Amino acid sequence: MSDLTHDFVVDFPTLGYLQADWLAWHAPIPDGFKKGQPFILSDWQLWCTANIGRVRPDTPWRPDDPVKNQAFTYRRSLITGPQKYGKSPYGAGTTLIMALGPDLFAGWAEEPGEVYDCARYGCMCGFVYEYEVGEPMGMPWPTPLIQLMATSEDQVNNTWRPLQQMVLRGPLVERIRVGEKFMRIGDEGVIEKVTSAESSRLGNPTTGFLQDETGIYTKSNGLMSTAQTMRRGTSGMGGRGIELTNAWDPAEESTARATFESRARDIFRFYRQPPANLSYKNKRDRRKIHAFVYAGASHVDLDGIEAEAYELLEQDPAQAERFYGNKLVRGMGSWLPEDLWEKAYAKPAALAS
């Protein structure tokens, strides 16, 4: 039973509320003026967590052989959001859930008083969550292996650094040994970095992954196939994973684009595309776009976003629209304007009328 407040109610069975409460108890905010306070998910983060943790209502409970990724509606997820939306801290928090939190389905609560008790899993922090009757129950992986992937060391550190601070400043410091390249979970579990220069680590039997900025994993830089290899290693273990990204360049064949356009129905996609009738070049419309795409992220200063977007618009309008407007627009390096063919074919029709 969650103590968190939010602006929506889900009508499906999920581990999301349990996971959100577990995270608020175990993970402190890693930086800023609220550093050290409980990491309470924002509305958009909680909505994603509820969907990622959504359990199929007909999932059976087999104590000796638990159903893993097929217990959930979504096998993997894509979260697309603008710059400074809170994707990296969210990625760090979900990594902790995959590592030591209730990431697996563990049956259905059948009577009042059933609880998730951290002490049962070797954590003496005192966290106890009481289930409602009929709510899905959760448990951690016995030997987790989590991989965090990005294009470079600097990119992967966007998630790694807040992850380090969440561990070092909270009760999980007793269970995770923090390093610069990997973190040891107990005696057998591991969280490790993977970049384009460290692909030798791929193919391991991972139980979860987080891929950062998949909008720039392309065929040309080789990261698209690297991401696919990581997914195969995880799916073989019944694990799941999450992609985080800014809006991608639709002129490029990227992992994020392929995931977004896939016909697979077991992928959760979170992407708040702004209304098409608003022009990003118009200041009044741009303000409406920012308010729309940053909804649920109260930590964001929209005046600061406007200042950065205005300056970037002078240098690279397409990049400004992708990073801050959360729009799919072609980059300046594209060899054809996005709507060239559409305009070319529209003219004869107009003349004919």
Side-chain angles (χ1 to χ4, degrees):
M1 185 183 304
S2 176
D3 295 327
L4 301 179
T5 58
H6 45 82
D7 293 336
F8 60 87
V9 176
V10 299
D11 58 355
F12 48 79
T14 179
L15 295 180
Y17 292 145
L18 164 61
Q19 293 172 342
D21 281 7
W22 183 93
L23 194 59
W25 185 279
H26 291 86
I29 294 173
D31 51 30
F33 289 106
K34 295 183 179 181
K35 181 172 64 177
Q37 296 182 25
F39 185 68
I40 297 175
L41 298 179
S42 66
D43 272 5
W44 78 261
Q45 293 169 340
L46 184 56
W47 175 249
C48 289
T49 300
N51 278 278
I52 293 169
R54 183 172 183 170
V55 177
R56 299 178 190 272
D58 58 348
T59 303
W61 170 231
R62 303 193 303 253
D64 298 330
D65 182 24
V67 182
K68 301 179 180 70
N69 58 16
Q70 293 304 299
F72 298 93
T73 301
Y74 300 111
R75 175 176 45 88
R76 62 189 188 93
S77 305
L78 169 69
I79 296 173
T80 306
Q83 203 84 336
K84 307 303 179 186
Y85 196 43
K87 298 189 298 294
S88 293
Y90 179 69
T94 55
T95 298
L96 289 179
I97 292 171
M98 289 189 282
L100 282 170
D103 192 48
L104 287 173
F105 172 71
W108 302 92
E110 296 180 350
E111 56 187 48
E114 294 193 77
V115 299
Y116 179 96
D117 188 344
C118 265
R120 179 179 179 184
Y121 303 106
C123 179
M124 307 312 293
C125 68
F127 176 75
V128 176
Y129 175 99
E130 184 175 350
Y131 295 108
E132 295 181 357
V133 173
E135 188 175 0
M137 300 188 292
M139 67 181 186
W141 287 86
T143 52
L145 172 55
I146 317 298
Q147 290 185 332
L148 273 58
M149 178 182 168
T151 55
S152 66
E153 188 78 11
D154 287 343
Q155 183 67 53
V156 78
N157 280 339
N158 287 338
T159 302
W160 192 261
R161 289 196 184 103
L163 177 62
Q164 286 178 314
Q165 293 305 309
M166 286 177 172
V167 173
L168 292 173
R169 297 177 182 275
L172 294 178
V173 71
E174 300 295 329
R175 306 188 67 202
I176 300 179
R177 286 168 282 171
V178 175
E180 289 302 317
K181 288 289 186 181
F182 67 90
M183 301 185 191
R184 182 71 67 184
I185 307 168
D187 295 327
E188 298 179 311
V190 174
I191 306 171
E192 62 182 8
K193 297 179 183 179
V194 176
T195 67
S196 57
E198 299 166 322
S199 57
S200 61
R201 297 182 183 180
L202 296 176
N204 290 332
T206 46
T207 59
F209 67 78
L210 186 134
Q211 297 172 343
D212 197 16
E213 284 306 332
T214 57
I216 53 177
Y217 296 9
T218 64
K219 282 189 173 182
S220 59
N221 63 25
L223 285 171
M224 196 172 202
S225 61
T226 302
Q228 290 168 344
T229 302
M230 181 178 287
R231 291 201 329 243
R232 289 196 300 271
T234 304
S235 63
M237 292 296 294
R240 299 191 297 157
I242 299 173
E243 295 178 38
L244 304 174
T245 190
N246 292 121
W248 53 92
D249 185 338
E252 297 179 341
E253 195 170 351
S254 66
T255 294
R257 176 183 165 184
T259 298
F260 185 73
E261 295 177 354
S262 171
R263 287 178 290 181
R265 301 181 66 181
D266 59 352
I267 300 174
F268 171 66
R269 302 166 179 87
F270 178 80
Y271 182 13
R272 291 177 56 81
Q273 297 188 67
N277 65 316
L278 298 178
S279 169
Y280 199 73
K281 295 179 177 62
N282 180 285
K283 183 177 181 179
R284 183 173 296 179
D285 282 359
R286 189 164 62 247
R287 186 75 184 200
K288 293 178 181 177
I289 290 171
H290 290 162
F292 181 85
V293 301
Y294 285 98
S298 59
H299 65 281
V300 174
D301 178 1
L302 292 183
D303 291 329
I305 293 297
E306 165 60 24
E308 288 291 336
Y310 180 81
E311 183 177 0
L312 188 56
L313 273 168
E314 298 178 332
Q315 306 161 22
D316 191 337
Q319 195 174 147
E321 289 199 61
R322 288 202 305 273
F323 284 176
Y324 297 110
N326 211 32
K327 299 182 72 175
L328 297 179
V329 291
R330 294 173 183 247
M332 294 179 66
S334 301
W335 71 282
L336 286 176
E338 183 174 8
D339 58 352
L340 179 63
W341 289 113
E342 288 79 357
K343 288 180 177 178
Y345 281 100
K347 286 179 181 178
L351 291 173
S353 60

